[in-house]
Every structure is written in C-alpha cells, then in structure tokens.
Amino acid sequence: MNMLSRSEEIVLLAVWKLRDNAYGVPVRDQVSKDTRQEWSFGAVYKPLKQLLHKGFVEKTASEPFAERGGRSKYMYTLTPAGRTALREVRKIHRALWTEECEAAFK
Amino acid sequence: MSPAMNKRSQQIPRLGKALLWLSLDDEEYDQAVGDFEERFRRQAAEEGPAKAHGGFWAMLARSLPLFMWDSLYWRGMMMKNNLKMAWRVIQRQKLYSFLNILGLGVSLACLLVILVHVKGELSYEASFPKSDRIYRVRTDSQFGSTTRQWAASAPAMGPEIEKAFPEVESAARLVAVGPRVIRHIPSQGPPRMFTEDRMFLADEAFPAMFDLDYVKGGPGSSLRDPHSVVMTESFARKYFGGEDPIGKTLIVEDFKDQPLRVAGVVRDLHGRSHLKIDALVSMPTFSAWAGFDILSHRTLKAAYTFVLLRAGQRPETFEAKAGAFMKAYHAAQPTRVESIRLQPIRSIHLHSKLEGEAGANGDIIYVIVFSGAALLILLIAVVNFINLATAQSFKRVKEMGVRKVIGARRGQLIRQYLGEAGLLTALSAVLAVVLLTFAIPFYNRMTGQAMSLGAFLTAGGAAGLLGLLILLTFLAGLYPAFFTTAFRPAGMLKSARTPGSAAALLRKGLVVFQFVVSIFLVFGTITMAGQLRFFRRADLGFEKRNVIAVDLYGDLSEKMAAGAGALKAEIERYSGVTGVALTSQLFGTRFSNERLTPVGTPDKNVLPMLRFLRVDEGFIRTAGLTIVQGRGFEAGPDRKPAYIISESTAAIMGFEQPLGLECLSDVHDGQAPIIGVIKDFHFASLHSPIEPLVLEFSPGNAGYLLVRVQEGRVPEVLEYLKRKVSEVSPDHLFSYSLVDEVFDRNYRSEDQSYALFKVFAGLALFVACLGLFGLSVFAAERRVKEIGIRKALGASAGSVCLLLSGTFLRGVILANVIALPLAFLAMRKWLTNFAYHTGIPAGTFIASAALAVLFAALTVGYQALRSARQNPVDSLRYE
C-alpha cells in the first residue's frame, strides 16, 4: 500500500485544515505554524506533487488574482482516498504510541 | 510611493523568475511564481521592500535544490515509462526490430574488432617509456644510377654520432643474429637445443634506452664483456628450467668454441614492437664472431642504430647537421654519396619499408582502409534504421496523432522515439558482444594476433562503447523522431498515407548510398583476389613449387662441402629427386647488395648496386633458369670462381660483350671471369621490379640445400632427407622450408587484407540487403489493396512483381553507375603499388554489378512474389 511519508502527512493535514483555501502560500504558512519550523515552497511542493500522483489530493486552478500578478491560485482538495490515508496514519500512530510510550515521553 | 518603487515592491526580481522558469515545467512554474509573488507582496507591504527581497532570495535558495532534485526524479519516472513503451513497440514490430538489431549488431561487432585492431597497430613501441625520443638512423646510398634506402647503418656510425651530436643523449646499436641453433648442456640430462631467430647483438646502452626491466643482473655491465648474453624470463626458462641462469653457458652453433655466459635476465617484452627480442648478446661478441674488427666497419649496413635525443631536441636540428657529419664520416672516400635521416621509432611499424627491416612491417594504408570500411558498414546499418523507421512511420502516424490529441508535447514524443532507438541500439550491442566471441578467434587466425574479449573490458573501452551507442541512438533516431512527430494531429488521424515525399526521396537516396558502398567493396575484393591469384600463378622465370630448402649450418654445412659433394650426389640419386643445388639465400628474400667491379675501374663508388647470390653448379638447372649466352657453372675437380650475370645486369653495367670479362666482387679479392648470361627472373616478390642479379660460383657460402622433387613426392623425400641428415650428423637439428611458401610469405599482408576485405564486402552487402528486405516488406504491406485491385482487373503475377521490385532495382542499378567508376579508379591506384600486376578486366565490372543486382533482386523478389501470388479476395477483404 501507499504509506504516507512524514512530510506528506503534515502537508495533507494542512490541506484538510485549510479546506477551501488550500493553495501554496497558506499551506506553507500552516505547516510552518504546525511544525514550528520555517518551510520553503520547494519543501511544500514536493510532497504535494507526490500526493497528487498517489491520488490523495486534487489540484484545480482558480480565477486569476491581482495580488499574484494576474495568476491563478492552484487549489488542493482532499480526495476520499486522501481521507482514508489519513485515517490509516492515525491508526498506525495509535498503535505505535502505547500508553506506556505516552507516559515515558511526556 | 513612486510608480517605480511601487513596481519594485509588486514583482519578484526578474532573475529569480528566470531561475524558476529554468527549473520547473509550465504549470508548476505558474503556480510557483504566483505563490512567490503573493508572499513577496505581503511581505513588502508589511515589512518593506528590502525585507521582502531578502525573504524572497532566502526562500528561493532553499527551494531551488529541491525543485531540481524533484525534476530529476520525475524525469527518471518518465524514462522508465518511455522504455516500457519502447519495449512494447519492439515486441509488436518483430520484423522491424529484428532487421535493425541484426544489422546494427553485425556492423557494431565488425567495427569493434577493427577498432581494437587499429588500436593495436597504433600502439607499436608505446610500451617503451622513452619511445617519443628514440629514433632510428636510416641511410640513403647512391650508387651510380641505383639508390638503396637502408633501415640499417654501418657499425661505426653509432659511436661517432654519439660523439658528434650534442643533441644525442645516447646511441645504441642492434644487430640481428639471424636464425641459429642454440644449445645448453646441463650437468645432467640431455642437451636442450632450439632454433632461435629473435636474438640480437646489442650495445651496453640499449637496455637503459629501452628501459628493459632486469629481474637478475644489472643493466650497468651485463652487456659490456664479449660473449655475455641477457635474456627474457621465458627464454631462460626454456633452457634452464627453474635453475638460476646467471653464470651458465649457451653454445651457439657455428661458434662452438665461444660459449655465451648469461649475465642478466629481463622481464618478457609484452608490448607490441617491430623488434621481437628474446635475447641480447653483448656487442663486442660481434667482432669475435666475425674474426675481425667489424664494429669499426664504415660501410657495411649491418646494425640498426637507435639514438635517444635529449629532452626537447627536435630531429630537424640533427638532420640539419647530418650532411656535414656524413662528409666527415666518409672523408676517406669522398665519392661516396650517402645521407642519414632519423625515423621516429613509433612510425617504423606503419610507415617504414626500407632495405633490411627487422621484420615485415604493417602499412598505414590498410589501417585507414579498414577503419573506413568498418565505419561505412556501420553507416549502412544506421541507414537501415532511418529508412525502416520512416518507411513504416505511416503505421505509427495514428498513434502519434492520438498521443498529441490527448496532450503529449512534441518533446515527449521525440524522447519516446529516441528511447526506442536507444533500446534497439543497446540490444544490438548485446548481439555484437555475442558475435565478437565468434569473430575474435577468426580474426586471430587470420592475423596471427592474440586478441581476447578482455581487450574490450577496459574502463575506457566501456565508456567509448557507451558513447558510441549514444551517438548511434541520436544518429539513427533523431531524423525519424523529428520526421514522425512533425505532423499536425488532424492530418495524422485522417490519413493512412506515408507522410512526406521528401522522406521517400531520402530513402531512395540512402538505399543508393548503401549499394554504392557495397558494390565498391565487392569490386575491391574481386580485384584483390585477381591480384593475389596473379601473385601465386605468375610466371616467375623459375619453378618455385616442389622445392625443399634444407637449412645448412654447423656440422651439416661442413659435411656438405666435404668430399667434393659426395653427400649431394647421393641425395640427387634418390628416386623422386630431380635436382640438387646449393645457394646462399632463398628466393623471395632480399639478396645481398654488392657491386661487380670490372678489373681496371678507377672509382667503384659510381658503380650500381647489384644483388648477389652464391651458388653451385647445380643451381641453374635445379631452379630452371634459362641461359641466353655462354654457359653455366661446371662440376668437376677444377672448379674455379666465375660469375653469371642476368640480362638486366648486363644492361645496367653497360656490358656489350660480357663473356670473358674479368671482375671483382666486394667481398672476394680474387678476380674471376663472367662466363654466362641468364634471362631475368623474379627472384624477389612481385611488389618490386626485377633487379640486376649476379650469380657467383661459391658453394662454400651455401646457406641452403635446394632439393627439387617430383610432383607429389615432397613428404616422402622430406622423410628421406631427415633420415639422411641424422645419419650424417646425429646431433643436428633438421630444419627446412618449402621454397614456394617462403616466396609467398611476401604476400602475407595482402592475403590478410584480402581475407578481411572479403568479410567486409560480404557484411556490407548483407546489411544493405537486410534494409532492402525491410523496405520491400513495408512497401508491399502498404500497397496490399492496390495489388488486389490490379490483380482483380487482370494483372499478371509477373507484372505485379515487377511493379513492386522495380523501384528498388532501379536504385541498385543507379548505385552501380556511381560505384563502378569510383571503384575502378581506386583499385587501379591500389594496383600501382605492385610493380607487376593484373589489369581490371571487364569481368570484374560485370561480376560486381551482377552480384549486387542478384542479391537485391532475390531480397526484393521474395516479398514481391509473395504479394503478387496472393489471392486478391484476401487482400481486398483485409481492412
């Protein structure tokens, strides 16, 4: 099966959180906020492209925006497969982090 | 805020944009520029343009490596995809792939063999570290109207050059010992005895100049004293087995009282060199053997003189002073006209064909011709590739159309095509390697070399091969790729016709080219075969077949001379033997160069050089020569010295009445009369014109016993001779040769070239026919309906056949028209290499043209006949 990599998981969660506003700039801001690290655009595009290839997100171009120099926003939305993948990851996390682990690494 | 300032805070820097454009595809570029610019504006508005610029560049610097890595990753994925598609295409089009792989594989194998061959030919002397500073001194002598160009020089020359030229670091002489029987008598066990012909006398300076690698003994003194010998490890092993050879002795037949003492052992010389050295004997031994101070002889061309120029010195500086040096050298003989030049040692193998070479050299012409032919054959295969691809592109026009409609860009389609070409090339390389394993033994047998598959397994070889494959891929794939992808989708989907008549024209032109090359090679091969036949069968003026030559040396030559030829007479009485004679040298080798001086000639330096042969009374009859004036040498107890000259000697010397003229030779002081004149005959190879010859009656100088035998009885007489020799001289190593074999050895280089050329011509024709076959199959497929309709309307099978094969055969005939005159001119030029040669008969033209047309007709005709005989119902139903 196509397991999510760490960066894919982080980006995919950010896309879900942003709902209708998930394009490059906010996605980068979101993951930077979530991970408390400064992400570059390159670091965001790479997992996004993989996610697209694996079919976990869809990409659509919006109307052009003036603030982008007349360019479209490329919007990402979660697909049902993407939701399943996130659910899988969550399950794996649960299984990995037993109560004992939780207590030890508090 | 000024408008300019405003603009500056609105748009990301142009350089940054360009960098993004370079590393991203269209849509991703659009997205990235949008994102970067949005962030940039926000930052500019909040924190000012300076901060925004800083932030932009920092972000870009962190992103770019990721973009590049990413694009490489996705390219790789695409490549895999392309290869997968290419593999499917290859599987689907079995005939097309088969023809391409076979043609390319065969010609690649051929090219690889030739490349290694050429590399070997060019690597002579390269294993000597100082080879770029070592030169051989060559001498040109003028004698009356004759010139001699020697590879060798006089023994006195080397030391004097070393003294006279400050440019020369050292000079070393090398003298070939010639075949000799060498014997080692161990303290126990039987003596070990072999014939050695790779021994040289060498100066002390030689081992250092050629960087011989001593295993035992030192380079310093090992060749200083007379009668010391330095040998290679394998030579030492042959005589001494595992024992330490230093200080042990070897006995040279003919000089039994002067044993050689082993003073050093060097590593075997593995690199290619015109000098094949097994053992070196110290130079002072030369004078001891000769019985006089031969090392200060000023004219005898006995030694190869090698000079090592100081670093940075040019041979031209040496040669500029050589004239003055030679004047001083020949001060005692001012009328002697001689000059010296330097030959770079590395050019000897391919460029030198002088008098007295150390062995048969190669020829640069054949290196060039072979490389050219191999490249042309590869080109024929590449042409096949292009032709087959464009000819059946109509099959793929729809595929390309569909791909374009669903959004494939042209670059992608081109890449796909190149992927196919690359895969086919790689597969043909695999085939080539398989073929090599068969070709290498064949090549080795033909050339006497020891090539192995290992020669190709070097890092450089692998890189070169890879480069060649990539080049081939582009050469073969680029035109079809651009050609097939150039059409507009609408047109492509609609039509089933072959796009572009330009391609059809090109295809015809390329087929003509292929056959021009093939016919050229076939013509060349037929001409070469004719010349070789001529070499073997030409009337030489003597009969070379059925003559055994027994080597005379040591005991045997003494016994042969003793008892007034009793042994000779006994052999002559044996049944099956029709003549016996003694001679100093064998036909087909270069005879001694000397002058014949009529008594009373004031200055013999103006006399021409003649060839001398020393024979006995049986020679003229045994060789089958014709006496035109006077008489032959006579047997009998009162045998007196005498000369018999050839007609051309009489002519060049200007003798009107030669009989009875008293003459002197260069080596014998006593004068003797000319008693006869013989007809000229070819005693040397047919490469060069007949030279003037003098036969001197001197059985004491015999090197060989010639025994003429009746047809078919050679083996039996050989057995008898062997028995007789071991009776007379039990210790003797019997060795012999057959005169016709010795003579025909002169044509070895032509024999080898012919054998290779034959293969080339065959391969060229074969590969060209492969392509033609493919083209005819595709043409027939495309015209299946047309043929059906023609047949339904009453066309005969013959007329359909003609229709299908006509185009191709016209091309082959055109190729004949172009190739035959070119080949004729080239081969006529080649034939002028030989003083005696055949012409180019009309038959050669007819045969090469007929061969090409026949093969083409068979190739095309097979397919044509098949389509012509098809039931029109089947072909018309075919949809």
Side-chain angles (χ1 to χ4, degrees):
Chain A
M1 68 168 266
N2 267 333
M3 261 242 270
L4 285 176
S5 75
R6 202 74 238 238
S7 56
E8 284 165 15
E9 178 192 343
I10 293 165
V11 171
L12 193 55
L13 271 173
V15 168
W16 177 77
K17 286 176 194 160
L18 290 166
R19 306 274 151 75
D20 294 340
N21 197 31
Y23 67 97
V25 178
V27 170
R28 194 197 74 85
D29 291 342
Q30 183 68 42
V31 295
S32 299
K33 202 176 87 195
D34 289 348
T35 59
R36 286 172 224 134
Q37 275 179 37
E38 206 44 38
W39 286 51
S40 73
F41 280 122
V44 177
Y45 293 154
K46 197 168 133 57
L48 277 174
K49 197 163 168 180
Q50 287 285 1
L51 288 169
L52 195 67
H53 184 65
K54 290 176 180 175
F56 296 155
V57 293
E58 273 168 1
K59 182 173 163 184
T60 46
S62 72
E63 296 298 304
F65 282 84
E67 74 230 50
R68 291 170 65 87
R71 292 189 177 77
S72 307
K73 290 175 178 172
Y74 289 85
M75 295 294 190
Y76 292 88
T77 46
L78 219 60
T79 61
R83 298 184 78 88
T84 325
L86 277 177
R87 210 169 283 135
E88 281 300 318
V89 170
R90 179 75 191 124
K91 257 188 226 160
I92 291 167
H93 274 285
R94 282 255 173 76
L96 284 173
W97 289 88
T98 56
E99 273 173 37
E100 199 187 344
C101 298
E102 298 275 6
F105 298 102
K106 197 168 262 175
Chain B
M1 219 181 264
S2 71
M5 191 67 194
N6 189 33
K7 197 172 178 202
R8 203 170 114 77
S9 63
Q10 298 272 316
Q11 279 186 4
I12 57 176
R14 217 178 278 166
L15 176 63
K17 235 179 181 172
L19 286 172
L20 285 174
W21 184 79
L22 277 176
S23 46
L24 291 169
D25 275 356
D26 293 354
E27 193 187 282
E28 284 162 357
Y29 164 74
D30 204 45
Q31 177 183 9
V33 171
D35 286 343
F36 272 95
E37 199 157 310
E38 191 180 322
R39 179 167 177 275
F40 180 78
R41 285 188 198 202
R42 207 163 66 194
Q43 212 170 5
E46 287 165 10
E47 302 167 62
K51 270 268 165 74
H53 271 91
F56 170 77
W57 285 113
M59 178 70 80
L60 191 69
R62 286 171 64 199
S63 296
L64 273 183
L66 291 167
F67 288 155
M68 284 175 191
W69 178 247
D70 209 42
S71 97
L72 273 182
Y73 172 80
W74 290 101
R75 284 261 156 86
M77 300 288 286
M78 272 307 283
M79 186 86 103
K80 216 171 96 189
N81 192 32
N82 274 348
L83 281 183
K84 203 190 280 173
M85 281 198 287
W87 178 241
R88 285 183 193 145
V89 168
I90 287 174
Q91 279 184 314
R92 197 169 60 228
Q93 307 177 334
K94 290 220 169 57
L95 178 69
Y96 166 81
S97 315
F98 169 76
L99 293 176
N100 273 330
I101 293 172
L102 187 60
L104 269 181
V106 165
S107 47
L108 253 182
C110 174
L111 182 74
L112 288 178
V113 169
I114 291 308
L115 277 182
V116 174
H117 171 75
V118 168
K119 203 177 141 216
E121 288 288 290
L122 296 178
S123 72
Y124 271 72
E125 331 296 343
S127 59
F128 302 124
K130 301 194 197 77
S131 61
D132 55 332
R133 288 198 284 139
I134 301 175
Y135 296 81
R136 186 172 74 181
V137 179
R138 55 169 286 187
T139 317
D140 293 1
S141 318
Q142 186 75 43
F143 301 99
S145 56
T146 53
T147 315
R148 285 285 186 278
Q149 303 185 309
W150 312 85
S153 37
M157 187 84 81
E160 293 198 15
I161 284 177
E162 200 172 29
K163 256 179 265 156
F165 291 91
E167 295 84 0
V168 172
E169 192 172 307
S170 64
R173 292 164 298 178
L174 204 63
V175 178
V177 172
R180 298 250 174 217
V181 173
I182 308 290
R183 197 185 300 253
H184 169 60
I185 302 164
S187 46
Q188 52 200 24
R192 300 205 180 122
M193 183 162 75
F194 304 96
T195 306
E196 300 294 347
D197 61 350
R198 291 157 58 126
M199 284 178 71
F200 291 86
L201 293 144
D203 270 323
E204 247 182 288
F206 186 85
M209 189 186 286
F210 287 83
D211 291 278
L212 299 188
D213 191 2
Y214 275 80
V215 186
K216 291 203 172 79
S221 58
S222 55
L223 288 175
R224 185 187 302 149
D225 303 325
H227 304 112
S228 36
V229 61
V230 168
M231 55 188 57
T232 61
E233 286 178 293
S234 49
F235 187 92
R237 214 171 305 122
K238 198 160 76 174
Y239 287 91
F240 306 107
E243 298 170 56
D244 182 4
I246 299 287
K248 297 229 160 49
T249 53
L250 287 178
I251 295 159
V252 183
E253 192 76 60
D254 300 332
F255 306 109
K256 279 184 179 164
D257 50 337
Q258 306 178 29
L260 299 176
R261 203 183 51 81
V262 181
V265 177
V266 296
R267 256 180 237 298
D268 288 5
L269 298 163
H270 288 300
R272 292 192 187 202
S273 170
H274 77 288
L275 297 169
K276 316 262 186 295
I277 299 175
D278 280 341
L280 296 172
V281 180
S282 61
M283 194 51 87
T285 320
F286 195 23
S287 286
W289 281 351
F292 67 102
D293 184 15
I294 197 169
L295 289 179
S296 24
H297 203 290
R298 305 185 72 77
T299 49
L300 186 69
K301 303 292 177 289
Y304 303 112
T305 305
F306 293 98
V307 298
L308 176 69
L309 292 189
R310 286 182 199 286
Q313 288 293 345
R314 307 277 316 138
E316 290 80 15
T317 355
F318 179 99
E319 280 166 1
K321 296 196 233 165
F325 168 80
M326 286 309 285
K327 205 157 270 171
Y329 182 85
H330 281 315
Q333 297 189 57
T335 48
R336 186 140 186 138
V337 188
E338 234 169 25
S339 61
I340 54 170
R341 274 181 280 167
L342 293 185
Q343 284 179 293
I345 190 173
R346 297 207 57 172
S347 78
I348 289 175
H349 175 65
L350 289 178
H351 298 276
S352 183
K353 279 210 163 75
L354 305 176
E355 191 81 16
E357 292 282 356
N361 284 336
D363 195 328
I364 187 74
I365 290 298
Y366 289 116
V367 169
I368 294 170
V369 166
F370 289 152
S371 326
L375 278 178
L376 283 176
I377 293 173
L378 188 66
L379 216 53
I380 291 181
V382 167
V383 163
N384 277 352
F385 205 112
I386 296 174
N387 273 355
L388 295 180
T390 58
Q392 53 122 45
S393 61
F394 74 92
K395 273 187 175 174
R396 305 193 58 187
V397 159
K398 275 189 191 157
E399 177 197 334
M400 292 296 150
V402 171
R403 282 181 191 278
K404 274 197 168 178
V405 165
I406 61 174
R409 266 171 297 168
R410 195 170 166 207
Q412 289 174 325
L413 294 182
I414 288 176
R415 254 178 268 157
Q416 188 200 328
Y417 246 102
L418 286 179
E420 279 171 39
L423 196 61
L424 280 175
T425 317
L427 287 174
S428 61
V430 173
L431 176 67
V433 171
V434 173
L435 288 175
L436 269 184
T437 57
F438 294 102
I440 286 171
F442 170 75
Y443 169 86
N444 285 344
R445 197 157 8 109
M446 211 153 54
T447 59
Q449 305 282 6
M451 188 196 285
S452 68
L453 205 55
F456 301 90
L457 293 177
T458 58
L465 184 61
L466 196 68
L468 183 66
L469 292 186
I470 292 173
L471 182 74
L472 275 183
T473 301
F474 278 91
L475 214 57
L478 219 49
Y479 177 73
F482 275 96
F483 173 78
T484 321
T485 56
F487 306 103
R488 310 205 155 277
M492 285 163 112
L493 286 173
K494 245 191 333 212
S495 94
R497 73 192 160 85
T498 313
S501 60
L505 194 65
L506 177 78
R507 211 149 51 228
K508 275 182 208 152
L510 288 176
V511 169
V512 171
F513 161 78
Q514 290 180 311
F515 275 85
V516 165
V517 173
S518 310
I519 293 164
F520 191 99
L521 291 177
V522 169
F523 189 96
T525 309
I526 295 177
T527 311
M528 280 175 113
Q531 177 64 18
L532 286 175
R533 207 165 37 241
F534 172 79
F535 274 154
R536 296 230 146 65
R537 299 205 187 142
D539 179 17
L540 299 172
F542 76 98
E543 183 50 58
K544 66 177 172 179
R545 293 178 61 242
N546 297 318
V547 184
I548 300 169
V550 179
D551 301 358
L552 295 181
Y553 60 89
D555 277 0
L556 188 61
S557 73
E558 281 159 30
K559 299 243 163 79
M560 198 59 76
L567 178 60
K568 219 169 65 180
E570 196 187 331
I571 294 174
E572 189 153 15
R573 278 196 303 274
Y574 186 77
S575 83
V577 174
T578 59
V580 172
L582 294 172
T583 174
S584 55
Q585 273 162 304
L586 283 187
F587 303 106
T589 60
R590 277 179 162 158
F591 293 171
S592 164
N593 270 296
E594 286 166 45
R595 283 163 297 183
L596 185 69
T597 317
V599 172
T601 308
D603 181 4
K604 66 183 208 164
N605 280 329
V606 300
L607 293 177
M609 268 292 166
L610 311 172
R611 298 285 177 180
F612 267 63
L613 193 64
R614 300 196 156 85
V615 299
D616 72 347
E617 70 279 355
F619 181 80
I620 290 184
R621 195 171 49 85
T622 307
L625 305 181
T626 317
I627 298 177
V628 289
Q629 241 183 4
R631 59 181 176 84
F633 301 123
E634 268 165 28
D638 57 338
R639 302 190 293 180
K640 284 202 217 92
Y643 297 111
I644 290 178
I645 61 174
S646 71
E647 282 176 311
S648 54
T649 305
I652 198 169
M653 295 292 291
F655 295 156
E656 296 202 344
Q657 201 37 260
L659 293 186
L661 210 59
E662 293 283 325
C663 295
L664 298 158
S665 80
D666 282 0
V667 274
H668 294 271
D669 293 332
Q671 63 187 59
I674 296 174
I675 60 165
V677 179
I678 49 165
K679 224 172 144 186
D680 280 331
F681 70 102
H682 294 276
F683 54 85
S685 84
L686 294 168
H687 287 102
S688 42
I690 294 182
E691 289 181 87
L693 176 73
V694 177
L695 301 179
E696 185 182 338
F697 182 75
S698 174
N701 282 308
Y704 303 90
L705 174 73
L706 298 182
V707 181
R708 175 168 293 287
V709 180
Q710 279 170 9
E711 180 80 50
R713 300 186 66 173
V714 170
E716 175 199 339
V717 172
L718 258 179
E719 271 313 306
Y720 162 74
L721 287 173
K722 218 176 275 179
R723 217 165 46 233
K724 197 78 220 158
V725 166
S726 68
E727 245 168 59
V728 175
S729 167
D731 243 8
H732 192 88
L733 196 65
F734 180 78
S735 76
Y736 76 96
S737 38
L738 296 173
V739 167
D740 53 351
E741 279 176 14
V742 173
F743 200 89
D744 291 345
R745 222 172 277 158
N746 285 306
Y747 310 126
R748 231 178 96 84
S749 136
E750 282 80 20
D751 279 343
Q752 287 178 2
S753 308
Y754 170 65
L756 273 179
F757 225 72
K758 210 163 49 179
V759 175
F760 280 155
L763 286 183
L765 201 55
F766 171 69
V767 178
C769 283
L770 278 185
L772 201 59
F773 180 70
L775 286 183
S776 67
V777 170
F778 294 141
E781 265 177 35
R782 201 157 43 85
R783 296 169 80 172
V784 127
K785 273 194 203 158
E786 177 195 334
I787 293 164
I789 291 167
R790 278 177 192 272
K791 286 199 78 176
L793 292 178
S796 68
S799 71
V800 170
C801 224
L802 211 62
L803 173 80
L804 279 173
S805 45
T807 335
F808 298 118
L809 291 185
R810 266 200 297 280
V812 175
I813 288 163
L814 178 61
N816 270 314
V817 172
I818 298 171
L820 290 178
L822 283 177
F824 172 71
L825 291 177
M827 291 320 286
R828 204 177 53 176
K829 186 101 194 352
W830 179 75
L831 283 175
T832 58
N833 279 333
F834 312 109
Y836 302 94
H837 54 80
T838 56
I840 301 178
T844 308
F845 289 88
I846 298 169
S848 11
L851 204 67
V853 172
L854 180 74
F855 272 93
L858 284 178
T859 310
V860 176
Y862 167 74
Q863 184 55 39
L865 205 64
R866 230 178 60 167
S867 346
R869 288 173 61 180
Q870 236 172 17
N871 190 342
V873 175
D874 296 334
S875 51
L876 286 177
R877 207 196 294 147
Y878 172 86
E879 186 72 295

